[in-house]
Amino acid sequence: MNKDISLSKAALIAGIGLLIMTLTVPFAEFKIIPDLVNPDSASETASNITNNTFLFNGAIFLIFITIVCDIVVAWALYLFLKPVNKGLSLLTAWFRLLYTGVYLVAVTNLIKVFTLTKGASYFHANSPESISELILFYIKSYKYEWFFGLVLFGIYLLLLGYLVLNAGYIPKIMGWLLIIAGMGYVIGHLKVFLFPQLNTSFSMFTALGELVFMLWLLIKGSAIKDVKA
């Protein structure tokens, strides 16, 4: 099956997957969930989620789309970079899949929150305060488990950047941008666990390398002709 996938097709598939994620991630992770969650108020968070279940469920659905796209992108970039180093390309793909697995486990916390909002018998058996605290606990668990996964994603980007640097058909600047992005992810999310006082606001700018690479895949990578992955 892989023989039918050219480098241009693999680049296009990866680029489209990354483009979809630039739409799903901001809405779910940086708009919907932050608007519903007050990390300092369990009761307000529970009330917001209960009164806006459609939005909350929409965030879960957008994250599900993101996870599917992550799997597709891991596969497509493996094919795209396999000519550089098949073994390292496979290892790199596995790191993205490992991150995706952690992300999926993290999302189960949001599904538990959804279950709590639907569990009428549980509501009757426990005080509203305890339920609110449990909802906030699951939300925070989701956040920190996802952050842990993003450390793995940073390592993935470092490996991806190294592969890109050694690919004769990709500008080397793309490799350096990905390596910088990877360092930003690793430092920016390790600090949550090890150095909470460290200022890592710079990491939001290092992530721009991913967007540049996505655009290159869609515009230039998809135009590579007559080379099989």
Side-chain angles (χ1 to χ4, degrees), residues 204-222:
M204 65 181 294
F205 298 104
T206 62
L208 292 175
E210 294 176 82
L211 296 178
V212 175
F213 185 55
M214 176 200 74
L215 293 173
W216 184 88
L217 287 170
L218 289 171
I219 299 170
K220 295 293 186 179
S222 62

Side-chain angles (χ1 to χ4, degrees), residues 16-35:
I16 292 174
L18 291 170
L19 178 61
I20 292 173
M21 284 189 279
T22 64
L23 302 175
T24 58
V25 172
F27 277 108
E29 305 291 0
F30 307 131
K31 175 59 180 175
I32 298 176
I33 293 178
D35 284 353

Side-chain angles (χ1 to χ4, degrees), residues 85-224:
N85 186 318
K86 182 178 180 180
L88 185 57
S89 183
L90 181 61
L91 176 64
T92 302
W94 272 111
F95 260 96
R96 185 164 196 138
L97 292 176
L98 180 59
Y99 152 73
T100 305
V102 174
Y103 196 9
L104 181 60
V105 171
V107 173
T108 61
N109 289 289
L110 300 183
I111 297 174
K112 290 172 185 175
V113 171
F114 169 78
T115 304
L116 283 174
T117 64
K118 298 296 182 182
S121 60
Y122 188 86
F123 272 84
H124 290 309
N126 295 270
S127 68
E129 291 78 14
S130 64
I131 295 169
S132 297
E133 291 291 342
L134 192 56
I135 286 175
L136 187 58
F137 169 78
Y138 283 133
I139 293 289
K140 289 184 176 181
S141 294
Y142 161 72
K143 173 185 174 182
Y144 288 116
E145 288 172 19
W146 182 44
F147 281 2
F148 179 78
L150 286 173
V151 176
L152 294 172
F153 185 75
I155 297 173
Y156 158 78
L157 287 177
L158 292 172
L159 293 172
L160 183 67
Y162 177 80
L163 277 170
V164 169
L165 280 177
N166 288 276
Y169 46 92
I170 308 174
K172 290 190 181 299
I173 184 62
M174 296 297 163
W176 289 116
L177 288 174
L178 290 170
I179 288 173
I180 291 171
M183 292 175 63
Y185 271 102
V186 172
I187 297 172
H189 294 93
L190 269 182
K191 81 108 177 185
V192 175
F193 303 98
L194 302 177
F195 314 104
Q197 304 305 318
L198 182 66
N199 184 354
T200 57
S201 56
F202 66 89
S203 61
M204 65 181 294
F205 298 104
T206 62
L208 292 175
E210 294 176 82
L211 296 178
V212 175
F213 185 55
M214 176 200 74
L215 293 173
W216 184 88
L217 287 170
L218 289 171
I219 299 170
K220 295 293 186 179
S222 62
I224 295 177

Side-chain angles (χ1 to χ4, degrees), residues 70-90:
D70 266 314
I71 295 171
V72 172
V73 169
W75 166 74
L77 287 180
Y78 160 70
L79 294 179
F80 187 62
L81 292 164
K82 187 170 66 170
V84 181
N85 186 318
K86 182 178 180 180
L88 185 57
S89 183
L90 181 61

Side-chain angles (χ1 to χ4, degrees), residues 48-65:
N48 288 342
I49 292 174
T50 303
N51 295 325
N52 297 276
T53 54
F54 180 79
L55 276 178
F56 185 73
N57 295 343
I60 295 176
F61 180 69
L62 289 174
I63 293 170
F64 171 75
I65 294 175

